[in-house]
Structure formats: C-alpha cells, structure tokens
Amino acid sequence: MYENNVETVEIIEKKVERIVDNIDELVAQKKFGEIKKQINDLEPFDIAEVLEELNSAELPIVFRLLSKDNAADTFVEMSSDNQETLINAFSDAELKAVFDDMFVDDTVDVIEEMPASVVKRIINQADLETRQRINEILQYPEDSAGTIMTVEYVSLKKEWTVEQCFEYIRKIAVDKETIYTSYVTDAQRRLEGVISAKELLIADPKTTVGSIMTTDFICVTTDTDKEKVATTASDYDLSSIPVVDKENRIVGIITIDDIIDVINEEATEDFAKMAAVLPTDQPYLEQSVWSIVKSRLPWLLLLMVSATFTGLIINTFEHQLSLISTVLFGCVPMLMGTGGNAGSQVCVTITRALALEEVEFGDILTIIWKELRVSILLALVLAVSCFAKLQLIDRLLFGYDGYTFAVSAIVSLALFITIILAKLVGCTLPLLAKKCRLDPAVVANPFITTVVDALSLLTYCGVAVALLG
Amino acid sequence: MYENNVETVEIIEKKVERIVDNIDELVAQKKFGEIKKQINDLEPFDIAEVLEELNSAELPIVFRLLSKDNAADTFVEMSSDNQETLINAFSDAELKAVFDDMFVDDTVDVIEEMPASVVKRIINQADLETRQRINEILQYPEDSAGTIMTVEYVSLKKEWTVEQCFEYIRKIAVDKETIYTSYVTDAQRRLEGVISAKELLIADPKTTVGSIMTTDFICVTTDTDKEKVATTASDYDLSSIPVVDKENRIVGIITIDDIIDVINEEATEDFAKMAAVLPTDQPYLEQSVWSIVKSRLPWLLLLMVSATFTGLIINTFEHQLSLISTVLFGCVPMLMGTGGNAGSQVCVTITRALALEEVEFGDILTIIWKELRVSILLALVLAVSCFAKLQLIDRLLFGYDGYTFAVSAIVSLALFITIILAKLVGCTLPLLAKKCRLDPAVVANPFITTVVDALSLLTYCGVAVALLG
C-alpha cells in the first residue's frame, strides 16, 4: 500500500498512457464520475495530454470535470487549437474563472496564438490593471525579454526588517510566480538590490533588507534578446532574472520555467534552420500540411536552383572527362557526399559553439589553424582508403576495369583537396555569418553543402583534366 | 552614481571583455592589488573566463587572489585543464579549502575529468562521509540520474510543525544546494512527501508538515536516464527532482542548474550526431586536434564507402545514359542534392520532435499521411520549377541544347518521385530507429542522405532508361 504513493516518472507515464487509451471509451459510456476521479489525480501537463484525445464536442464537457486548481494550470499546458475550442465553448463566467487563475505572462502566451475575436473576449473579462499589463507586454519587440517576463514578483523596501519582509511575503505569496528571490526597489520602482529567500531565512529577523541585499546583481533590459536571457541564466546559474527598463525601473522578472522553454525553442529553431526549414514555434503534429509546405519550400527551391552551377560544371567538363574515362562520373556522388559531410561536420560544430557562446569571431585564427591540422589528417586517411577502395572493391571485386591506377589516384587526390577545402570553408562560414549579423545556423547546413558541392566538382574535374586531359 | 550599481548583462559582458584584454598586461606588471580588486568583483563564471587567458605559471598566482567565497565557485566553472593545473599547484591545505566549499556533485564532475593521481589527492583530502558519497555517485551508470544528483538536500520529519521545520532549515540552509523544496522522509529514509518553502511559509506555524505536504510528487530513480530527467523537469515545471533507489529511499535531488546543463548537452550531442560527428562533452576549443579527428573520422569513412553504391548505380547505367544524352549526368548533383535536402528536412524535424517527446512511434501513420500530402505538394512545385529552369536557364540562357523537352521532362519526373520517396523515408527512418532502440539523431542526418542518394539515382536512371532507352 505504502509504495503506491511514490510514483517515479516512469510509473506516471504508464498511468497516463492507460488513461489516454481509455478516455474515448469512458466518454462514450458517459462515465464522467470515473473520468473526473482519474484525470484530477494527474499533473496538469498530463491532463492536457489526455484532453488532446477528445474532439471539440467532448473537450468542454471533460474540461468542466477538472477541479478549480487544475483548470487554469491545465489550460496553460494545452495546444492552442484546444484552447481556442474551449474559449469558444466557455461562458463569460467560466472564461473569467480560468484567466483569473493564470499569470499574466501565460495569458499573453495564449493571446498571441488566438484570432482577434477571441483576444477581444479574453481582454474584456480581465480587470483594468491586468489589461494594461497585457497590453504593455504585447508591445515589446518579438523575441525580447519583455515578451517572456512575469509581472508577478515580490518587491521589498530596503528599510524593512527581515521580519517585516516575511510578514509581507506570507501575505502576497499566493499570487506571485516565485517568492524565492525578492527585489528591493526605491520609491521610483528602480531596482536597488536583490535578496534570496535563503538569505532572508538565515539573516537576523531584526536587520533591515537594505543592509543584507546583494547590490551587484545581474539583470536584463526589456529589449534583451530572449536567447541572451537563456545563456545568461545558464551561465550564472540564476533561477530568475529581473527585467528593467531604460530608467532601471524593474518591470518584471523571468522565471526558470520560461527560460527552459526558451532554451528548448532556440535549439529546435537551430535544428530546423540547419535542415533548411524555416522555423515555426508550433509542435510538428499541430502544424497544418500547408504551413509545413510553406516552411520547407523556399529553401528546397533555392538550393535546387543553386545546384545549376554544379550541373554547369559537369556539363562543361563532360566531354573532356568522358574522353579520359567514363567511370570518372561514377565517383562524383562519393566526392560530393564526402565533401558535404566533412563540411557540415565542422560547420554544425562551430554553429552550436557560437550559440552556446563557447567561441566568438575573435577565435577565427585559432579555429582555422585547428581545422587545418584536423583536415589534413582526415584527408590523408580518407584519400588512402578511397584509393584502396577503388582498387580492391570497385576494380577487383566488381571488375570495373575503368578504375585504373591513374584514375584511382586522381579521384583520391581530388578527395584529399576537397576535404581540406570543405573543412576550411565549413569553419569560416558560420563565423563570418555571425560577424555579418547573419544567422550561422542558416549558413551552416545546408548552404555549406551547395558551396562544397561546387568546390569538390571543380577540384575533381580540374585535377582530372590537368593530369590526364 | 546610482545607475552604476544596476548592471545589465550587456554592461557586465563589456566589463569582462575589458578585463580579459588587460589581464596579461596586469600580470606582467605584477599589479596584483589591481587584479584582486577587478576580478573579485566579477561573477565566478566570468572570473573563470578571465583565468582562461593565463598560462599555467600565472594561473595559480592569480587564483590565490580570489576571496574565499569566490575561490570554490570559480574553480567549479573552470575548464578541466585549468582545474588540473591548479590542483597540481595547490598545497594540501589549499586543495582541502577549495573542495570543502564545493557540493559533492560538483566534486564528482571535477573528478570524472581528472587522471588517477589527481583523483587520489582529491579523495584523500575529503572527510570519510564525503568520500563515501563520492564513491556512491561514481558507481551509478553513465548518463543516469544518479551521476548528476546532489546529496545536499533538506529532509524533514512529518511530525514536525512548520515552526520546527523553519528552525531546522535556518540551521542547515548554508550547506544545502536548495532549501526551496524539502523532502519528508520516514525512519528508513523512504520518501513520504514533498513540500515547498512557499507552502511552508503560507501554512500555519503550528500545523505539522505531514498534514500539508504533497504526497503525489514526481520523482526519478538513480537509473533514470538524465535526458528523461530533463524532459520531466521541463514538462512539469519542476525546479528540483528527488531521486530514489529501488526501496524508494531518497538518495539525492537534481537541481535546476544541472538540469539546464543536461538540456544543453543533449542538444549539442544531437547536433553533433546529425552532423556525423561522434559527440564529446568537451567544448570545441578544449578538444585536441587528435580527439576531433577521432570524433569525425569514423562517419566520414563509413559514408564514403557506402557511397560505393551510388557509384555502382551510375557506372551500371552510364553506358545507356550517355547513349540517350550526355547532359543527363549534369543533373545528377541537383537531383541528389534536392533529394537529400528534402529527406533531411523531415528527418531532422521528426528526430527533434522525438527528443522533445512531441511525437512517438504510435504517431507513425499520422506522420506518414501528413508527409505524403506535404511531399506531393512540394514535389509538384519543384518538378514544375525544375522543368522551367532547365528550359529557360540551362537551355535558352546557357545554350545547352542537350536539355531537350524530353530530357527536361525526364529530369523533372525523376525529381518528383525522388522528393516523395525522400520525405517518406525521412519521416519513417527516425521513428523506426526509436522503435528499435537506436538513436534517431544518428539515423537522421547524414545516414538519410546516403539512402536518398541511392534512391534518387535509381529513380533517375530507371526513368531515363525506361522512357528513352
């Protein structure tokens, strides 16, 4: 009996799966008492997952079975489609009930995904103060700290004693997103210091906050890029960061849960860009076919057209090459493939290092020197193996006599040069992009592949014609 | 004067840069008083960055200028090379001083990077209890929750009143990594409940913890994969997770700062794998040329050899193709390139979605159906544009008469089929990999490219020969 209340995440997952599998049936059989019991005992995140299984008719019915403290938290975790369905099904009273229990930053997240009509309803039910805060947050530039900050923070006055502070925190704790860091402000709401609940707890109840607060704290401005906020938090191990305006007045704080979301979003965005996809902030399954097409088409088209050059190169040398040996064409895919792989290996590595601020443009010489040595070693091993492969596998094993000693040598030499070129281009491209305020992730894969394809072909044909032409 | 003490992260960065640029000079001029003043007023993370500038002779001298509370925190943030240099320079007393101020999980992180001799010194200076804890942690399987957990957590007894709890927490707070979540355990150290400092603060001082603690909390086992720990924390917005053993005894907790490190490491690892690099947990600049070569060579070799097939395909059809039209070869790079891009677009998207647990194998039919519609749309647009490109750019503009109406039609048709194949392979491969407990990130880029290369060539040559052979 005892063990039951210790639920490891693995156990919880199985439980959720079971409910997900049965919910349709339970709804069909109208076993609402049963449903109510089962879902209310889950975490909001899991409840949201269960609700994803329902159609727009069933959703509101089941949502109404949630306990008051589950309702808002679950709503926040749901997909925007489901949120919209619910809002449209809500009475004004229900709408107000849910949004009153939400923090302003979550409300804004919802609003940003909703059509104007729905937004209007949400804004109308909010009290004047909340409405103003929502509008403020909506006005900050995209991807800025202002858009992800929470306005529910604890602010203290420096003349208060630790005792008074605790009294105050106790009173307002319920409505604040975090009480573990408090912010000491003056009459103009200017940030004077920060103090953690731990420091308050250890301190003598009679001392004033002003005497024990930290005055050299780290903060960001409303315009700071949210990616910067994320790196700052992970670099300095902060669990919340104050956001100040131009006059150093505190306007909000960014809490760790939102920071983690940013970290994941930014990584996903870079993955998308490197795969030649225009990033969207919607989860894959929520994206419509059309929006997926729109996010993939531009790059595919651009890269296809840019491949014209590789075509031209081949066409130009074609005649000469076929005179030398027709098998030369057979090695083109291998050459371009290996070149592309060698290039993206370093390109992706550097791009990621830039994103984590492990390297900067200033390191370019160090990096080039390192890559030069790396590429020579790699090129040597690969060229030799390539030569062996052509002689042993292709010539002896498969009997392509076209792969004479000379031809194999040319291919291997071309490969050697290609790899070194690929590595050097691959490491400089992202750094230059960063320097030119372009996005290294976009320059990295797949753009690099196109550049390297052309380079490798030119080298190949050049070498072949030069040595045998 | 006032503004000075509000330092946004942007201001701090500039300050650090200035010091980094001048530190060498200051050391050369032996201005240690100046150095002491400047660096002690930085955050440990930034001090570590400054120290990276120094050579192994200067490093210990400057490190000794750090204030006691900066020393350990800075040491933790430093590169393992610098840590080793320092440990070797430390007297036993200095070594003890630094490690006594470190949390056990940080000590273990250091130990894992050090040679045996150094490890011995570190272990020897630790007191018996710490030594046992270190050894315990070192025994957990790689990448498991056990290896990243902290043993310094707050545990309460359920019969204690809130008042007593605060008294206790106040006493031990200094040595605990976090006091914002406390863990209620029985006599056998079995986890019975969890309570946040916020809940304690709001509660009536006279009530017992047992009556207000949360009994359905989320925890992981020592063997839980750390990636799973990370997704759990971000899914449920947890700022720390308890770790229990097989008997549900709490053995440690994982704090948010370590969770963020895991999130970043895992993303970096996936980036590396997708770029055909064997992941290493060292930052790029710290890796030796040799270790970089070792991490890149295997895949490059494997992919080069696997390109044999593409070569064989070309060689097989070569004769027939050249009979039809020699320009057909010119389109091979474009076809393979576009196919590869189309494939990796979806492959990377699905892989990332799997990592974030947005999709699972069960969604395979939904995904295939979605990708089928997407690919048909994309293929249509690209095939048409390709036809236009060949006719307008290559034929009219560049005057390659080889691109007859028929040839262009064949190329476009091949492209159409290739894209659809690439998308379908690209979306199923990572899902199948996951199902077979393989790593989707490895299957994704670049393996997909090799598969798609072969597919597109077969299609191309097949179509050409079939229609014109």
Side-chain angles (χ1 to χ4, degrees):
Chain A
M1 161 266 142
Y2 160 80
E3 261 63 16
N4 297 350
N5 77 27
V6 171
E7 289 188 321
T8 64
V9 60
E10 289 85 356
I11 297 176
I12 293 178
E13 276 192 334
K14 291 207 176 45
K15 193 166 90 183
V16 175
E17 260 172 50
R18 267 201 309 280
I19 302 182
V20 165
D21 296 340
N22 301 329
I23 186 74
D24 278 332
E25 204 179 321
L26 287 172
V27 173
Q29 300 166 342
K30 300 220 168 352
K31 292 190 176 165
F32 296 121
E34 180 59 24
I35 299 175
K36 185 170 187 166
K37 212 172 101 296
Q38 285 192 11
I39 58 175
N40 275 303
D41 148 74
L42 299 175
E43 296 289 324
F45 174 82
D46 295 325
I47 302 178
E49 198 183 322
V50 174
L51 296 183
E52 288 294 327
E53 298 299 308
L54 305 170
N55 63 42
S56 51
E58 304 164 330
L59 182 58
I61 306 172
V62 177
F63 187 85
R64 292 193 174 95
L65 300 174
L66 294 177
S67 64
K68 191 178 174 318
D69 34 334
N70 273 336
D73 296 349
T74 305
F75 187 83
V76 172
E77 299 285 350
M78 293 192 325
S79 70
S80 38
D81 301 2
N82 275 356
Q83 287 173 335
E84 192 173 343
T85 319
L86 277 180
I87 296 176
N88 294 328
F90 280 159
S91 71
D92 289 356
E94 287 176 309
L95 191 69
K96 190 164 179 47
V98 168
F99 278 83
D100 280 353
D101 280 3
M102 282 166 54
F103 291 115
V104 174
D105 61 334
D106 295 326
T107 310
V108 172
D109 292 345
V110 175
I111 286 180
E112 284 170 332
E113 301 296 326
M114 295 296 146
S117 60
V118 178
V119 174
K120 201 133 172 284
R121 268 194 79 197
I122 300 175
I123 303 266
N124 287 339
Q125 58 75 35
D127 55 66
L128 185 67
E129 193 194 3
T130 320
R131 215 173 303 169
Q132 285 165 340
R133 287 173 163 179
I134 293 173
N135 290 324
E136 272 167 32
I137 295 183
L138 286 173
Q139 273 148 28
Y140 292 114
E142 207 189 343
D143 294 334
S144 69
T147 58
I148 55 169
M149 71 186 183
T150 312
V151 287
E152 290 95 350
Y153 55 89
V154 180
S155 70
L156 309 170
K157 297 267 155 279
K158 67 165 172 273
E159 56 276 11
W160 292 358
T161 65
V162 171
E163 221 163 13
Q164 290 173 303
C165 294
F166 273 118
E167 239 166 76
Y168 174 72
I169 295 174
R170 225 178 242 109
K171 261 201 257 87
I172 51 122
V174 196
D175 312 318
K176 303 302 177 186
E177 198 166 331
T178 177
I179 61 162
Y180 300 137
T181 313
S182 302
Y183 303 89
V184 183
T185 57
D186 67 10
Q188 286 71 43
R189 272 196 22 251
R190 280 183 311 202
L191 190 52
E192 295 183 304
V194 302
I195 185 156
S196 70
K198 189 174 178 178
E199 292 164 316
L200 283 173
L201 212 52
I202 301 170
D204 160 17
K206 296 270 168 276
T207 49
T208 62
V209 187
S211 60
I212 52 172
M213 67 187 187
T214 318
T215 51
D216 57 347
F217 48 80
I218 292 161
C219 62
V220 297
T221 67
T222 48
D223 299 349
T224 306
D225 186 284
K226 64 182 184 182
E227 189 164 10
K228 183 82 215 153
V229 177
T231 47
T232 308
S234 48
D235 287 349
Y236 298 108
D237 293 345
L238 304 172
S239 64
S240 63
I241 303 181
V243 183
V244 298
D245 63 15
K246 303 258 170 309
E247 289 71 38
N248 289 323
R249 285 190 303 258
I250 180 168
V251 286
I253 64 171
I254 297 172
T255 49
I256 196 72
D257 54 324
D258 299 313
I259 285 165
I260 289 182
D261 293 343
V262 173
I263 294 178
N264 282 326
E265 282 166 23
E266 294 295 337
T268 308
E269 220 178 279
D270 285 354
F271 275 110
K273 289 176 191 158
M274 290 187 188
V277 178
L278 304 178
T280 57
D281 52 8
Q282 267 188 320
Y284 174 75
L285 288 179
E286 282 181 47
Q287 292 173 41
S288 71
V289 168
W290 184 230
S291 68
I292 296 181
V293 170
K294 275 187 301 181
S295 65
R296 295 182 188 170
L297 186 57
W299 266 110
L300 279 185
L301 263 178
L302 178 65
L303 292 167
M304 185 186 75
V305 174
S306 66
T308 310
F309 303 110
T310 45
L312 293 181
I313 298 170
I314 291 193
N315 292 335
T316 321
F317 288 90
E318 196 166 34
H319 183 61
Q320 291 158 286
L321 285 188
S322 39
L323 287 182
I324 303 167
S325 155
T326 47
V327 294
L328 281 173
F329 290 112
C331 296
V332 168
M334 184 275 286
L335 263 172
M336 297 200 328
T338 312
N341 292 329
S344 53
Q345 277 185 328
V346 53
C347 208
V348 171
T349 311
I350 299 295
T351 307
R352 180 58 179 168
L354 280 167
L356 294 178
E357 299 188 344
E358 286 172 4
V359 304
E360 53 187 19
F361 183 77
D363 302 315
I364 187 162
L365 292 177
T366 328
I367 295 172
I368 291 182
W369 170 230
K370 195 169 229 166
E371 287 303 326
L372 186 67
R373 289 173 294 165
V374 169
S375 58
I376 291 174
L377 281 170
L378 287 173
L380 266 176
V381 181
L382 284 164
V384 172
S385 338
C386 172
F387 187 83
K389 164 192 166 304
L390 290 175
Q391 289 294 305
L392 301 176
I393 303 182
D394 299 64
R395 191 179 188 179
L396 291 180
L397 192 62
F398 295 120
Y400 286 100
D401 307 330
Y403 289 112
T404 60
F405 199 84
V407 168
S408 310
I410 290 172
V411 176
S412 309
L413 177 60
L415 184 67
F416 182 84
I417 302 171
T418 302
I419 290 172
I420 296 179
L421 287 177
K423 287 292 182 196
L424 294 182
V425 176
C427 72
T428 41
L429 231 51
L431 291 165
L432 290 174
K434 186 80 178 179
K435 185 73 178 174
C436 312
R437 294 206 156 55
L438 294 170
D439 188 334
V442 174
V443 177
N445 270 327
F447 201 62
I448 177 82
T449 340
T450 322
V451 179
V452 172
D453 280 353
L455 281 175
S456 49
L457 267 177
L458 276 175
T459 324
Y460 186 45
C461 302
V463 170
V465 173
L467 296 186
L468 298 179
Chain B
M1 159 267 142
Y2 160 79
E3 262 63 16
N4 296 351
N5 77 27
V6 172
E7 289 189 322
T8 64
V9 61
E10 290 84 357
I11 297 176
I12 293 177
E13 276 193 335
K14 290 207 178 42
K15 195 165 88 185
V16 175
E17 260 172 48
R18 267 200 310 280
I19 302 181
V20 165
D21 296 340
N22 301 330
I23 187 75
D24 279 333
E25 204 180 320
L26 287 171
V27 173
Q29 300 166 345
K30 300 216 167 356
K31 291 191 177 162
F32 296 124
E34 180 60 21
I35 299 175
K36 185 171 188 166
K37 213 173 101 295
Q38 285 192 9
I39 57 176
N40 275 304
D41 143 76
L42 298 176
E43 297 287 325
F45 174 83
D46 295 323
I47 303 178
E49 199 183 322
V50 174
L51 296 182
E52 289 293 328
E53 298 299 309
L54 306 172
N55 63 44
S56 52
E58 304 164 332
L59 183 58
I61 306 172
V62 177
F63 186 85
R64 293 192 172 94
L65 300 174
L66 293 178
S67 64
K68 191 178 174 318
D69 35 334
N70 273 338
D73 296 348
T74 305
F75 186 83
V76 172
E77 299 285 350
M78 293 190 327
S79 70
S80 36
D81 302 3
N82 275 357
Q83 287 172 335
E84 193 174 344
T85 318
L86 277 180
I87 296 176
N88 293 328
F90 280 159
S91 72
D92 289 357
E94 286 175 310
L95 190 69
K96 191 165 178 46
V98 168
F99 279 84
D100 280 353
D101 280 4
M102 281 166 53
F103 291 114
V104 174
D105 60 336
D106 295 326
T107 309
V108 172
D109 292 343
V110 175
I111 286 180
E112 284 170 331
E113 301 297 324
M114 295 296 144
S117 61
V118 178
V119 173
K120 203 136 172 280
R121 266 195 80 199
I122 300 175
I123 303 263
N124 287 338
Q125 59 75 34
D127 55 65
L128 186 65
E129 193 194 0
T130 320
R131 214 174 304 171
Q132 285 166 338
R133 286 175 164 178
I134 293 174
N135 290 325
E136 271 168 34
I137 295 182
L138 286 173
Q139 274 150 26
Y140 292 114
E142 207 190 345
D143 294 335
S144 70
T147 59
I148 54 167
M149 72 186 183
T150 311
V151 287
E152 290 94 350
Y153 56 89
V154 181
S155 70
L156 309 171
K157 297 265 152 283
K158 66 165 173 277
E159 56 275 13
W160 291 359
T161 65
V162 170
E163 221 163 13
Q164 289 172 305
C165 294
F166 272 117
E167 242 166 72
Y168 174 72
I169 294 174
R170 225 178 244 109
K171 262 202 253 88
I172 50 125
V174 196
D175 311 320
K176 303 302 178 186
E177 199 167 331
T178 177
I179 60 162
Y180 299 138
T181 312
S182 302
Y183 303 89
V184 183
T185 57
D186 66 11
Q188 286 70 44
R189 273 197 19 250
R190 280 183 311 202
L191 190 53
E192 295 183 302
V194 174
I195 186 153
S196 72
K198 188 173 177 179
E199 292 165 315
L200 284 173
L201 211 52
I202 302 170
D204 161 16
K206 296 270 169 275
T207 49
T208 63
V209 186
S211 60
I212 52 173
M213 67 185 187
T214 318
T215 51
D216 56 346
F217 48 82
I218 291 160
C219 62
V220 297
T221 67
T222 49
D223 299 348
T224 305
D225 185 282
K226 64 181 184 183
E227 189 164 10
K228 183 83 213 156
V229 177
T231 47
T232 307
S234 48
D235 287 349
Y236 297 108
D237 293 345
L238 304 172
S239 64
S240 62
I241 304 182
V243 183
V244 298
D245 62 14
K246 302 260 169 308
E247 289 71 37
N248 289 324
R249 286 190 303 259
I250 180 168
V251 286
I253 64 169
I254 297 171
T255 49
I256 196 74
D257 53 323
D258 299 313
I259 285 165
I260 288 182
D261 293 344
V262 173
I263 293 177
N264 282 326
E265 282 166 23
E266 294 295 337
T268 308
E269 221 178 277
D270 285 353
F271 276 110
K273 290 175 191 158
M274 290 186 188
V277 178
L278 305 178
T280 57
D281 51 9
Q282 268 188 318
Y284 174 76
L285 288 178
E286 283 181 47
Q287 292 173 41
S288 71
V289 167
W290 184 231
S291 68
I292 296 182
V293 170
K294 276 188 300 182
S295 65
R296 294 184 188 169
L297 187 57
W299 266 110
L300 279 185
L301 263 177
L302 178 64
L303 292 168
M304 183 185 76
V305 175
S306 67
T308 310
F309 304 109
T310 46
L312 292 180
I313 298 170
I314 290 194
N315 290 336
T316 323
F317 288 92
E318 195 166 35
H319 182 61
Q320 291 159 285
L321 285 188
S322 39
L323 287 182
I324 301 166
S325 154
T326 48
V327 293
L328 283 173
F329 291 112
C331 296
V332 168
M334 183 276 286
L335 264 172
M336 296 200 329
T338 312
N341 292 328
S344 53
Q345 275 185 330
V346 53
C347 208
V348 171
T349 310
I350 299 295
T351 308
R352 179 60 178 167
L354 280 166
L356 294 179
E357 300 187 341
E358 285 173 4
V359 304
E360 52 187 21
F361 183 77
D363 301 316
I364 187 161
L365 292 178
T366 328
I367 295 173
I368 291 182
W369 171 229
K370 195 169 227 163
E371 287 304 325
L372 185 67
R373 288 172 295 164
V374 169
S375 58
I376 290 173
L377 281 170
L378 288 173
L380 266 175
V381 181
L382 283 163
V384 172
S385 337
C386 173
F387 188 84
K389 164 192 165 305
L390 290 174
Q391 288 295 306
L392 300 177
I393 302 180
D394 300 64
R395 190 180 190 178
L396 291 182
L397 192 62
F398 295 118
Y400 286 99
D401 307 329
Y403 290 111
T404 59
F405 200 85
V407 169
S408 310
I410 289 171
V411 176
S412 309
L413 177 59
L415 183 67
F416 182 85
I417 302 171
T418 302
I419 290 173
I420 296 179
L421 286 177
K423 288 292 183 194
L424 295 182
V425 175
C427 72
T428 39
L429 231 50
L431 291 166
L432 290 174
K434 185 79 177 182
K435 185 73 176 174
C436 313
R437 294 208 157 52
L438 294 171
D439 188 334
V442 174
V443 177
N445 270 324
F447 201 62
I448 177 82
T449 337
T450 322
V451 180
V452 172
D453 279 354
L455 280 175
S456 49
L457 267 177
L458 275 175
T459 324
Y460 185 44
C461 302
V463 170
V465 173
L467 296 187
L468 299 178

